[in-house]
Amino acid sequence: MADGGTCFMIFLILLNTFGAAASLALFALAIWVAVDGYELYPISGVSGKDDIFAGAWIAIFTGFAFFCTTVFGILAVVKSSRLLVLLYLILMFIIFIFECASCITAATHRDYLVGNSNLVKKQMLKYYADDSFAGQQITVTWNRMMREVECCGADRPQDWIDYNSTFRMTYGTTYPWPQQCCKRLSSFEVADVEGCKAGLASTLFTKGCFDHIESVFSRYTWAVSWYGFSVLMFMFWLMLLTMGYYLKI
Amino acid sequence: MLTILLFVGTLLNHANADFDTDVLNEKDGVVSGILSDSVLLHLPPCSFQGQNVSLQYTINNTVDTWTLENIFTVPPCEKTTGTEGNSLVTRRIGYKVSDLASGTTYRFQFQIGSNKSNTVLATTKAGQHYSGIDTGLPARSGAMVVITVILSVAMFILMVALTITIVLSNDED
């Protein structure tokens, strides 16, 4: 009986240690998302659907809180104190709720943003070359992205022709699309200005930018939402086992 | 009857033409041959090289006509685009008719001396306003539903288990 009790205690200590490591990883992953190495935050910020990043901030908190609480849980289990274990369970439950919120909103906002290319396309047409603060942010983001990823438009360059845009109203129809759509030489000059203006496919980028945007936001969401979900599933079983231990003490 | 007339009409259009032209499309290496204020047309065949070309265009079903005299000379027969070493070389592959009204149907016809091309019918892009793009939630994806359902169930089970644990421990006291 005592051996069974000790076995259970050691098992719980091991589980709590594993939980501490997993939640520290969640903390680190959430920091990576919040830092936004791909610098695409303005696309979600301007649209108002930025809960992927809000979820990341919450996950920074919950990841670290889970770590602290599981370490406390090891102490509570070793001391076999009912009060401490009950306190541990209640703390874990509260953090569980916060992490649930983070997972769900991150997954939902990702679907709003990049479920299809409409929102990104409309935002590009409305805000690119706009003078407002939001417009400047979007313009800088798109310029960098078009240069680095070598893409043009949301789905394809024709997006600039099929729709009216702030860009066309500001600069007229001399250039059907921004100059960042044009291929450049290693000296940074445009390779063929006239060819790019005419739409010669070999002088501009014909790939759409939406694929890149979608893959980046999906990557962030898998980090915050799905990894957070797996941590929660682990903590769920850990908490059930701890409740069983509580009844045994 | 109408189909036969249209077919014969098209045949006659090309039959009367001394040479053919058409709007450029993706197969010719351009992103789009039809823009909102311009249209890209194929050059006349290089057998007419060196000769002056004029263009006449009208708005379909009206009498408004524009004639551009001697706008360019037909280039000689050689490769139109390619790379030479490290540089990108572009030669002319088409003629751009500019300053057109958007969303309008035009008829274009080249003329070289006494030779005329077929009449090309093209409508410039109307340029939809971007506010017409529907940005509502595309669909309820599996991810949302799965995460919410599973987490709600887990939360419920935890709540019940916690309550039972506290109640049972109080009963023992």
Side-chain angles (χ1 to χ4, degrees):
Chain A
M1 184 59 183
D3 265 351
T6 319
C7 239
F8 200 4
M9 181 170 80
I10 292 176
F11 184 56
L12 274 183
I13 292 173
L14 285 173
L15 282 185
N16 268 309
T17 318
F18 185 76
S23 47
L24 210 53
L26 176 66
F27 174 66
L29 215 49
I31 289 181
W32 172 72
V33 174
V35 162
D36 189 22
Y38 291 99
E39 293 174 306
L40 286 184
Y41 174 76
I43 292 182
S44 68
V46 165
S47 70
K49 310 268 183 283
D50 62 349
D51 265 8
I52 300 175
F53 298 94
W57 283 104
I58 296 175
I60 292 178
F61 158 70
T62 56
F64 191 66
F66 265 140
F67 171 72
C68 295
T69 315
T70 43
V71 167
F72 171 72
I74 295 174
L75 174 74
V77 158
V78 159
K79 278 201 165 249
S80 294
S81 153
R82 272 208 158 178
L83 176 66
L84 289 181
V85 174
L86 185 62
L87 182 60
Y88 163 79
L89 283 172
I90 291 173
L91 279 177
M92 287 286 271
F93 191 71
I94 294 171
I95 303 168
F96 191 95
I97 296 175
F98 277 104
E99 180 58 28
C100 278
S102 158
C103 292
I104 294 176
T105 56
T108 315
H109 276 224
R110 178 239 167 234
D111 286 337
Y112 268 117
L113 268 182
V114 293
N116 59 28
S117 60
N118 287 353
L119 191 143
V120 166
K121 191 190 302 190
K122 184 172 181 175
Q123 188 187 70
M124 173 190 84
L125 293 166
K126 183 172 172 188
Y127 286 104
Y128 187 90
D130 193 20
D131 268 338
S132 62
F133 179 63
Q136 285 163 11
Q137 286 191 305
I138 294 284
T139 308
V140 166
T141 306
W142 272 89
N143 283 344
R144 189 192 320 112
M145 182 170 43
M146 286 194 278
R147 262 195 337 263
E148 288 175 4
V149 179
E150 295 183 351
C151 58
C152 184
D155 293 319
R156 45 188 202 153
Q158 282 90 320
D159 291 339
W160 291 106
I161 308 174
D162 291 337
Y163 294 94
N164 284 334
S165 58
T166 310
F167 171 77
R168 184 182 296 171
M169 287 197 286
T170 317
Y171 294 108
T173 51
T174 324
Y175 285 92
W177 32 69
Q179 274 212 324
Q180 275 75 7
C181 283
C182 306
K183 287 191 178 153
R184 286 167 189 264
L185 307 167
S186 50
S187 61
F188 230 46
E189 292 161 20
V190 176
D192 186 350
V193 179
E194 290 305 318
C196 191
K197 268 164 52 172
L200 217 51
S202 55
T203 61
L204 74 152
F205 305 127
T206 49
K207 189 174 65 171
C209 295
F210 176 68
D211 276 342
H212 169 76
I213 297 173
E214 193 262 332
S215 76
V216 167
F217 282 129
S218 292
R219 212 170 293 174
Y220 287 163
T221 309
W222 298 166
V224 170
S225 179
W226 286 108
Y227 180 65
F229 176 75
S230 67
V231 167
L232 283 178
M233 285 298 100
F234 177 79
M235 298 303 179
F236 170 73
W237 292 110
L238 177 58
M239 283 167 72
L240 284 182
L241 282 173
T242 313
M243 286 176 207
Y245 184 77
Y246 178 84
L247 290 174
K248 254 177 152 332
I249 307 176
Chain B
M1 183 58 185
L2 189 59
T3 331
I4 299 173
L5 273 177
L6 280 172
F7 182 59
V8 169
T10 329
L11 272 182
L12 278 176
N13 182 17
H14 281 270
N16 278 344
D18 299 306
F19 59 93
D20 271 341
T21 183
D22 201 359
V23 177
L24 288 175
N25 57 30
E26 278 156 16
K27 286 197 296 296
D28 304 303
V30 285
V31 155
S32 172
I34 298 184
L35 304 158
S36 63
D37 68 341
S38 49
V39 168
L40 300 172
L41 295 171
H42 261 296
L43 292 177
C46 54
S47 50
F48 291 100
Q49 77 175 58
Q51 298 185 39
N52 282 334
V53 185
S54 301
L55 174 71
Q56 190 179 53
Y57 60 94
T58 72
I59 298 182
N60 202 18
N61 297 332
T62 66
V63 291
D64 298 324
T65 312
W66 291 264
T67 311
L68 306 171
E69 300 282 350
N70 300 331
I71 36 182
F72 63 94
T73 52
V74 183
C77 303
E78 34 176 61
K79 235 162 39 108
T80 48
T81 61
T83 47
E84 284 173 0
N86 279 336
S87 53
L88 198 66
V89 176
T90 311
R91 293 182 187 85
R92 294 186 313 190
I93 58 166
Y95 177 74
K96 181 172 175 179
V97 191
S98 310
D99 296 325
L100 301 174
S102 62
T104 324
T105 312
Y106 286 88
R107 289 176 172 276
F108 300 93
Q109 188 177 44
F110 280 123
Q111 186 164 2
I112 304 179
S114 56
N115 298 314
K116 287 186 185 233
S117 73
N118 60 317
T119 317
V120 178
L121 200 64
T123 314
T124 48
K125 286 248 165 79
Q128 286 174 270
H129 198 255
Y130 54 75
S131 55
I133 302 178
D134 174 27
T135 54
L137 185 63
R140 270 139 207 71
S141 79
M144 286 185 224
V145 175
V146 162
I147 289 189
T148 312
V149 163
I150 295 183
L151 288 180
S152 308
V153 167
M155 181 72 67
F156 177 72
I157 293 175
L158 279 179
M159 185 84 84
V160 164
L162 198 59
T163 317
I164 292 176
T165 312
I166 295 177
V167 162
L168 279 181
S169 71
N170 278 347
D171 280 348
E172 280 171 24
D173 299 337

